Each structure stands twice: as C-alpha cells, then as structure tokens.
Amino acid sequence: MYSSRIKKYIKSLRSLRVWHRYLGVSLALLLLISAVTGILLSLKKEVDFLQPPTQKGEVQSLQEWKPLHELSTIASTHFYEKYPDQKNNPIDRLDVRPSKGIVKVLFGEGNWEVQVDGHSGAVLSVAKRHSDWIESLHDGSIISDLFKLISMNFLGVGLIVLLSTGLWLWYGPRLIRIEKKKRRK
C-alpha cells in the first residue's frame, strides 16, 4: 500500500490534471488569437499591407514646417475628396515625425492614415493601417474595453496557473517515484 504522502501526491495530480486540461482548453482560443496577431504585429514594419511605410519629407526642422492645424486641414481635405463616403470620419490624432519630416494624420474610423510633408504640405500617402485593427483584436479591445480588461487578466492569470499546474504535473510523478524508491529500501 502507498504511504500517505504518495496518496496525497497522487490525489493532487489527478485533480490538477482535470483543472489543467479545462483551463488549457478554455484559454486555447485566446492564446491562438493572441499568438497569431502577435506575429502579425511583429511584422507590421516589414509588410506594407499591415502598416503603410513611413514616407520621408523634405525638411526635418520643425521651425520650417507649416502649422499643425494647416497640415491636418490639408490631410483631411485630400482624404475627404478622395473618399467622399468618409466625410464624417473625424481626425483621431496626429503623429508628428520630425526625423522623417512628416505628420501622420490618423482618422477615428476605418483605420485610415494620411501622411503629409511637414514643410511643403504635400500629401505623400493615403492608406489603411491594418495593424490598428489587428492590435485591437490582439488585446480584445475590438469587442470593448471591459472585454479587454477581463480577457487579458483571465489570459494572464490562466497562463500563470497553467504554468504552475504544468510544473507540478511534470514534477509530481518524479516525487512519487522517489518516495516509492525510498519505501523499497
């Protein structure tokens, strides 16, 4: 018959195996989505489809640039003329890149980006930023901020529990073998 210590190990391994399995299955979809989108995000600067390449402007000195309100007006006017159905799409933010001599004007809906030369005001690029919606899928905010908070915490805590139970499921049988060897002697 087994000692009480071995019985305790066996009982904990059996119960943890069930918890480990169900937790692993419930995390699998979140992990798969996170892994695939993480790979895509790591490639966003290398693949033009994911994020438009950053253009290069004429002048890097901010003193020689047009004011930001002018640059944003140039970008939005050009964008609305090219895509009239986007007329109600507001500007979300301006990404100023002095080292590149440009301003990226990012719109609130549809992940659109217009790159404008900071000095001349020339529109250098109009494109979609697919990396933005991939990032919102990656972190769960594509559904809602509450879902992001819950799912990312569930994923993090779940991975810690899977790691802990996985280590015990790996190490526990070794302890049982050691205990059995001790009993035989």
Side-chain angles (χ1 to χ4, degrees):
M1 205 63 200
Y2 294 134
S3 71
S4 63
R5 180 181 262 171
I6 292 175
K7 286 180 184 178
K8 188 174 91 176
Y9 290 160
I10 291 171
K11 186 177 180 181
S12 75
L13 286 168
R14 285 183 179 153
S15 65
L16 277 180
R17 194 175 296 128
V18 173
W19 280 98
H20 187 84
R21 181 182 316 124
Y22 286 121
L23 183 59
V25 168
S26 65
L27 287 175
L29 181 61
L30 284 175
L31 280 171
L32 179 64
I33 290 170
S34 187
V36 170
T37 55
I39 290 168
L40 290 173
L41 289 172
S42 74
L43 297 170
K44 72 181 180 182
K45 301 284 186 191
E46 318 316 320
V47 179
D48 293 351
F49 174 76
L50 297 175
Q51 183 171 308
T54 302
Q55 304 298 313
K56 193 103 167 120
E58 292 176 21
V59 179
Q60 296 174 358
S61 172
L62 291 174
Q63 288 79 12
E64 298 176 41
W65 279 25
K66 292 183 179 289
L68 286 179
H69 72 276
E70 264 186 61
L71 294 172
S72 65
T73 301
I74 291 168
S76 58
T77 302
H78 183 83
F79 178 62
Y80 298 146
E81 284 173 2
K82 190 168 183 175
Y83 298 100
D85 59 317
Q86 296 290 324
K87 201 76 163 158
N88 294 324
N89 194 349
I91 292 175
D92 180 45
R93 65 188 183 275
L94 303 177
D95 182 359
V96 179
R97 304 279 178 102
S99 65
K100 299 283 186 177
I102 64 146
V103 173
K104 292 183 179 187
V105 179
L106 302 157
F107 289 84
E109 298 165 11
N111 303 311
W112 286 98
E113 165 189 287
V114 177
Q115 294 184 35
V116 182
D117 183 295
H119 176 69
S120 69
V123 174
L124 304 173
S125 167
V126 178
K128 275 198 171 249
R129 295 170 53 99
H130 294 284
S131 61
D132 289 354
W133 71 262
I134 292 171
E135 185 175 339
S136 66
L137 179 60
H138 179 73
D139 68 11
S141 63
I142 198 165
I143 294 173
S144 74
D145 285 338
L146 179 62
F147 180 80
K148 173 185 173 179
L149 179 69
I150 292 168
S151 67
M152 290 299 106
N153 281 298
F154 176 66
L155 186 59
V157 170
L159 286 174
I160 291 169
V161 171
L162 278 178
L163 176 68
S164 305
T165 58
L167 285 172
W168 176 244
L169 290 172
W170 170 78
Y171 186 66
R174 282 153 184 77
L175 278 180
I176 291 172
R177 282 194 290 276
I178 291 169
E179 287 293 323
K180 284 181 179 178
K181 281 182 185 177
K182 283 182 188 176
R183 287 197 77 223
R184 285 186 207 137
K185 292 182 181 180

